[in-house]
Amino acid sequence: MMVAIQKNIFIFKITRMLLTRSVNLKVKEMVDTPKKGHKPIDDLEVPPIYWWPPKPLKASKYLIVDLLFPYGWFYLFLALIFWFYLTPNKEQMITLNFSWILPIWLRNFLLLFAIAGGLHWLLYIKQNQGSVFKFNGSWLAVNNRRFLFKNQVRDNMFWSLISGVTIWTLYETLILWSFANEWCQIVRWDEAPIYLSLLAFSSFFWGTFHFWLVHRLLHWPPLYKIAHDLHHRNINVGPWSGISMHPIEHILYFSGLLIFFLVPAHPVLLIFLGFQYAILPAFSHSGFEKVVLFNKFTINVGNYFHQFHHKYFEVNYGNPLAPIDKILDTWHDGSDDATKFFRSKQKKILIKLSNWVRIYERIFLQKSSPL
């Protein structure tokens, strides 16, 4: 009897050790090397769904667990709440009117404020975990003239809430108005549950591909100078950096929602896709790979892949889900060899970019800067 009890206690301790991720060692490492920043153990690789020869079990795990948990299910649940309780009925939306547009803007504003603000409070104000899992050893900029109000956080909040939420809401209300007037075809869940479920799942792929497409366009030198440079001021990113963009970039970025003019769907999927565009970047730009909960458990938040784009600019334009960067040789996997290669490439690109900017200034701004 005692042997059985001791055996069960041993199994319990082993299980607890596996499930409980102690971060005390990580804390010590990060305190000792604050400027180095956190680097995940494994280099970045293409998702298992693209591996050859195929690995069915790993591919299935990636699609069902890694892709959907926890954020996919969270966004879908939130989209249902927003549709049933925080979106006007069809009769109201037939006519464009501020009486129903403003409440949508307000609920979007409050949602972004709660999530980005909550992450910022937890990671940057309260600093419960210090710099553990923080990609960049430095903290966000203050007293820096590159940012509005000389403050990175206030600058990011302004562009995210005033421009970002407004343009997101304009796209959303335009498409809801079109659904109400049947200019966008509505498919009911009781009519085609499998089709709509697959559409919800494929929205991740569409959002990733569209992001890559728009992002590459934004790196066209003239457009980069007048718009995208504002986002790239955030070399060291935080939760409010996610959709801190110039209004021109917001217009291009959220244009992926226009897919519903072409693809029949239910309006809840519009809200669902909107969350992927507007809310997901708060997590991916958090600046931390993981958030530590109760000093024991961790949850993934950061996007190490995109972190390299903010560091080196001309790499990792998309996301691993649609590995176009791998095909076009702009994939930085986090290795030292990749860093050396792209640093050399970056110098050449910066020279080319500088020449393009001077040409743009001469033609459009009537300046006579020599090439």
Side-chain angles (χ1 to χ4, degrees), residues 101-118:
I101 294 175
L102 285 177
I104 289 180
W105 180 89
L106 181 61
R107 56 116 147 114
N108 290 344
F109 181 100
L110 293 175
L111 177 65
L112 181 61
F113 189 89
I115 291 181

Side-chain angles (χ1 to χ4, degrees), residues 358-370:
R358 290 175 181 176
I359 293 171
Y360 168 80
E361 289 176 343
R362 172 178 288 183
I363 296 174
F364 295 100
L365 301 182
Q366 296 182 351
K367 291 186 177 180
S368 56
S369 301

